[in-house]
């Protein structure tokens, strides 16, 4: 909508009202509104804020308010902005009243000095308009809104964590998978007992807990799921399958596996060692093929599945891992259900084992202030070759082909537990305008924004990231679920 169109729609709405009242109690008719109406408002370009002159300002003639609904970026300097004001029929007086940086009240005559900078940082500015004939007067409140937090920061709040969902107070092993819309967390107490927790909404912290009985000793770290079943290896590499939420487990063939990479298109894929040769293995079974020397055989990140515009079908993707010669790789690898490929042309800085990755989104702004979201893969944590844990967050916007260090606002906060071998999932949480941190199990920041809509927005979906477990550099399990989100998604949509 153009400024002119917005003005005329507002003017029509005001004209439909019989009368209004000025601040001093005098009656204003629709005609007197017109004589002191603001037809357009914007800010002059400056060097401090990019494309400032293209920021859209709403003009509410009925309430005498002028404001930018889409806030300026966090940290924008609004202490010396030059407004550009257009009056519908001209004016005999146009004055801007505001506080200086020193806190003193001052008045600027817009008619005689239209380029005088105005301090919008000290609160709303008053714009006083008197009609050409001097019979009508209106005082507008002008606000320049600025985000009070970096909306594109990846927020890991101090209180945004919970313990692992389990019957055990101190589980020793855990692995979490997603099957359909449900998240399943398998934990062990280290003494032969196992618990499966399940939930479709991890934000609610309401999990269904059930005991899981194995007739064998399972490798909890190998726990994997397709849409119709769970899979796990035992200590000797035998593959087992459960189609009834873990109540019963049946063996799948006889040849042992060494590692499960992940699941794609209903199949489980992994590695095995046959007479000294590493090979790719699958279930349902297919022909085994030798694994290339530069391809990892274990220790890769949790796999993510996605459908790219290039292939048009579901593919599996993971980062890093340990090669057959024992060294670590920093590359990204993909599998389309038939072929394996090394994808990276610019890899993560260093080789990592058991990194944590998830699929999310990043946002870029054009010169006209329009926003575009891009699918992105984030990677963090993982063990380096010297045994230390990586504390840098990386991001790729092209399915792992090129990686870069994420912006400073998306790096881990001080005190966040660096980890390896955690599992990350993104789950939408219903947010409401009146929802408070006290009413939910996780700390929440609520503020302002999302795209325009046609009716009042009372609830919207917010994609939270949940990282389950992970281990420290000594291999000890973190009994923790971390919750994070890019702040802009927590903001109430603006209309």
């Amino acid at each position: 909508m153009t400024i002119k169109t917005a003005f005329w729609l507002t003017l029509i709405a005001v004209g439909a009202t019989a009368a209004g009242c000025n601040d001093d109690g005098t009656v204003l008719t629709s005609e007197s509104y017109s004589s002191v109406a603001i037809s357009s408002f914007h800010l002059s370009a400056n060097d401090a804020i990019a494309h400032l002159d293209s920021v859209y300002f709403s003009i509410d003639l009925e309430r005498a308010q002028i404001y930018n609904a889409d806030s300026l970026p966090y940290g924008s300097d609004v202490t010396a902005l030059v407004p550009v004001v257009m009056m519908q029929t001209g004016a005999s007086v146009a004055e801007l009243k505001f506080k200086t940086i020193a806190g003193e009240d001052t008045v600027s005559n817009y008619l005689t000095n239209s380029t005088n900078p105005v301090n919008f940082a000290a609160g709303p500015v008053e714009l006083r308009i008197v009609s050409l004939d001097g019979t009508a007067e209106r005082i507008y409140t002008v606000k320049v809104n600025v985000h009070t937090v970096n909306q594109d920061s990846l927020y890991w709040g101090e209180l945004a964590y919970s313990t692992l969902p389990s019957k055990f107070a101190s589980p020793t092993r855990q692995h979490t998978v997603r099957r359909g819309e449900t998240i399943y967390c398998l934990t062990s107490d280290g003494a032969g007992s196992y618990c499966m927790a399940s939930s479709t909404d991890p934000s609610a912290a309401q999990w269904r807990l059930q005991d899981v009985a194995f007739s064998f000793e399972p490798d909890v770290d190998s726990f994997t799921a397709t849409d119709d079943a769970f899979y796990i290896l035992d200590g000797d590499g035998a593959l087992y399958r459960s189609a009834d939420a873990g109540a019963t487990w049946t063996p799948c063939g006889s040849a042992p596996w060494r590692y499960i990479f992940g699941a794609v298109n209903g199949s489980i894929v992994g590695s095995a060692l046959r007479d000294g040769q590493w090979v790719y293995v699958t279930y349902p079974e297919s022909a085994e093929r030798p694994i290339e020397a530069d391809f990892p055989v274990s220790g890769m990140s949790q796999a993510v599945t996605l459908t790219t515009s290039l292939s048009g079908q579901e593919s599996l993707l993971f980062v890093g891992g340990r090669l057959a010669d024992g060294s670590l790789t920093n590359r990204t690898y993909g599998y389309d259900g038939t072929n394996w490929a090394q994808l990276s042309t610019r890899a993560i800085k260093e080789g990592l084992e058991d990194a944590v990755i998830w699929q999310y989104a990043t946002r870029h702004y054009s010169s006209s202030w329009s926003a575009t979201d891009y699918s992105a893969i984030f990677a963090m944590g993982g063990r380096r070759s010297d045994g230390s844990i990586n504390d840098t967050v990386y991001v790729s916007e092209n399915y792992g082909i090129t990686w870069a260090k994420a912006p400073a606002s998306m790096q881990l906060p001080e005190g966040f537990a660096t980890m390896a071998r955690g599992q990350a999932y993104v789950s939408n949480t219903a947010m409401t305008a009146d929802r408070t941190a006290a009413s939910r199990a996780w700390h929440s920041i609520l503020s302002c924004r999302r795209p325009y809509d046609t009716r009042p927005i009372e609830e919207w979906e917010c994609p939270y990231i949940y990282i389950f477990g992970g281990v420290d550099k000594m291999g000890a399990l973190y009994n923790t679920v971390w919750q994070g989100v890019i702040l802009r998604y927590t903001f109430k949509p603006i209309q």
Side-chain angles (χ1 to χ4, degrees), residues 278 291-293 295-298 322-327:
W278 285 96
I291 294 178
E292 298 81 0
F295 196 96
V297 297
S298 66
R322 191 169 293 278
L323 305 181
D325 65 6
S327 64

Side-chain angles (χ1 to χ4, degrees), residues 46 81 133 138 140 168 214 299 307 314 374 386 407 446 467 493:
N46 68 20
L81 304 181
D133 60 9
R138 199 86 198 275
Y140 292 86
F168 311 127
F214 293 97
T307 302
E314 186 178 78
Y374 293 86
D386 63 0
L446 300 179
I467 299 181

Side-chain angles (χ1 to χ4, degrees), residues 201 203 428-435 439-440 446-464 489-495:
D201 182 10
S203 73
N428 282 333
T429 296
M431 304 287 285
T432 58
D434 60 352
R435 194 169 188 176
S439 66
R440 55 201 299 263
L446 300 179
S447 187
C448 61
R449 91 179 194 68
R450 268 271 186 105
Y452 292 88
D453 205 335
T454 57
R455 59 182 179 178
I457 298 174
E458 300 299 332
E459 184 173 298
W460 67 101
E461 292 296 309
C462 180
Y464 276 89
Y489 293 124
T490 67
F491 295 168
K492 182 183 183 297
I494 277 181
Q495 294 177 279

Side-chain angles (χ1 to χ4, degrees), residues 409-420:
S409 62
M410 295 183 179
Q411 294 300 316
L412 300 176
E414 185 176 354
F416 188 96
T418 54
M419 69 183 68

Side-chain angles (χ1 to χ4, degrees), residues 10-94:
T10 307
L11 190 60
I12 290 170
V14 172
T17 304
C21 291
N22 205 345
D23 293 337
D24 60 5
T26 59
V27 175
L28 287 176
T29 66
S30 59
E31 289 78 9
S32 57
Y33 268 126
S34 299
S35 65
V36 289
I38 302 296
S39 59
S40 72
F41 183 98
H42 68 272
L43 299 172
S44 296
N46 68 20
D47 295 332
I49 304 174
H51 315 295
L52 181 62
D53 54 335
S54 65
V55 175
Y56 173 77
F57 277 81
S58 300
I59 302 172
D60 186 335
L61 293 178
E62 185 175 8
R63 295 177 178 83
Q65 295 178 353
I66 302 172
Y67 59 93
N68 58 317
D70 217 356
S71 299
L72 297 181
Y74 171 74
S76 295
D77 183 0
V78 295
T79 58
L81 304 181
V82 177
V84 179
V85 185
M86 297 295 293
M87 278 71 73
Q88 179 69 14
T89 59
S92 60
V93 177

Side-chain angles (χ1 to χ4, degrees), residues 89-102:
T89 59
S92 60
V93 177
E95 295 177 338
L96 290 151
K97 181 179 179 181
F98 59 95
K99 289 186 179 295
T100 65
I101 295 177

